[in-house]
Amino acid sequence: MSLPLNDRGLLLGDGLFETLLAVDGVPADWDAHLARLALGCAALGLPVPDEADVGAAAQAALSTAGLDTGRAALRITWTAGSGGRGLDRPEPCAPVLFATAAPSPAPAGPLRLITAATRRNAGSIASRHKTLSYLDNVLARREATMAGADEAVMLNTKGHVACAAAANLFWVAGGRLETPSLDCGVLAGITRARVLAWADAAGMPAAEVAVGHDALAAAEAVFVTNSLSGARPAQSLDGRPLARWPLLAELSAALI
């Protein structure tokens, strides 16, 4: 498809996206991703795309990319459509739906993390939804790359630990599993929710917290989660070696 040059997603970041793992042509956690997309639409004042249309676009993307088998990263994009010049959307708006797919090999090895200078705005609605405005995440990841690391830890504008550039964060402290609360400007990750549910079912102490960087720097183990990589351990944070959490293999198996 071709995207009009006045598409609001292209010009203003006005829209949403979801990234899913598809295995052998079947998207994982489909209902959860569509539910989160609908919540984003409500927050941005966009109509919710028809589920059948999203499903058809997803399958077409996988087939076109030759990814009906194996692991694939499937991205669903929902822009606010064309709107002429300026900030105001036309009423009614005419959103544009498209999907793309790319190979997504299983992640290999632990990550090297650095703490980025780029901050996440905890007060912005964009920090809690997968909007097309992802520049802060892009800049944080660039910081990591320039430092020879794999991923960036982002603090929010209050100095609290928030997330990684493309993942949610978890760490183990004193035998307790911790992750930043959504109020820290954190995306309600699909895998994040599954990890918390797993911890609850296993009787493992877990908490959503608002803490400064010192708490993360003192953690015994750190891992990140997203829909493509599941739970991936960190081997270091800002050059400090980290231990691997003994229960991570059990958790990873539960996420498959």
Side-chain angles (χ1 to χ4, degrees), residues 111 113 169-179 215-224 232-237 240-248:
L111 297 165
L113 304 178
L169 274 171
F170 284 86
W171 61 91
V172 180
R176 186 171 81 160
L177 189 61
E178 297 184 348
T179 192
L216 181 62
E220 302 153 24
V222 178
F223 63 93
V224 305
R232 191 171 180 188
Q235 70 179 25
S236 63
L237 172 62
R240 179 178 75 88
L242 293 165
R244 184 158 181 157
W245 189 37
L247 294 179
L248 190 63

Side-chain angles (χ1 to χ4, degrees), residues 140-208:
R141 175 63 70 80
R142 185 172 187 273
E143 286 186 57
T145 301
M146 296 293 287
D150 304 299
E151 179 58 297
V153 170
M154 299 181 71
L155 309 181
N156 66 21
T157 46
K158 296 179 180 180
H160 295 146
V161 179
C163 58
N168 288 110
L169 274 171
F170 284 86
W171 61 91
V172 180
R176 186 171 81 160
L177 189 61
E178 297 184 348
T179 192
S181 68
L182 298 181
D183 289 342
C184 291
V186 173
L187 178 71
I190 305 301
T191 306
R192 175 185 183 274
R194 292 184 64 194
V195 171
L196 291 173
W198 172 85
D200 182 61
M204 160 150 304
E208 299 177 67

Side-chain angles (χ1 to χ4, degrees), residues 97-167:
L97 170 71
F98 63 92
T100 55
S104 181
L111 297 165
R112 296 162 297 172
L113 304 178
I114 60 102
T115 304
T118 304
R119 296 293 181 102
R120 193 166 177 90
N121 184 357
S124 170
I125 194 171
S127 70
R128 294 184 292 280
H129 298 280
K130 289 193 74 94
T131 76
L132 300 181
S133 305
Y134 243 54
L135 182 59
D136 287 345
N137 304 64
V138 170
L139 294 176
R141 175 63 70 80
R142 185 172 187 273
E143 286 186 57
T145 301
M146 296 293 287
D150 304 299
E151 179 58 297
V153 170
M154 299 181 71
L155 309 181
N156 66 21
T157 46
K158 296 179 180 180
H160 295 146
V161 179
C163 58

Side-chain angles (χ1 to χ4, degrees), residues 33-61:
H33 281 280
L34 288 189
R36 187 171 65 182
L37 180 60
L39 287 174
C41 287
L44 270 61
L46 291 172
V48 179
D50 180 79
E51 182 175 351
D53 291 342
V54 178
Q59 291 303 320

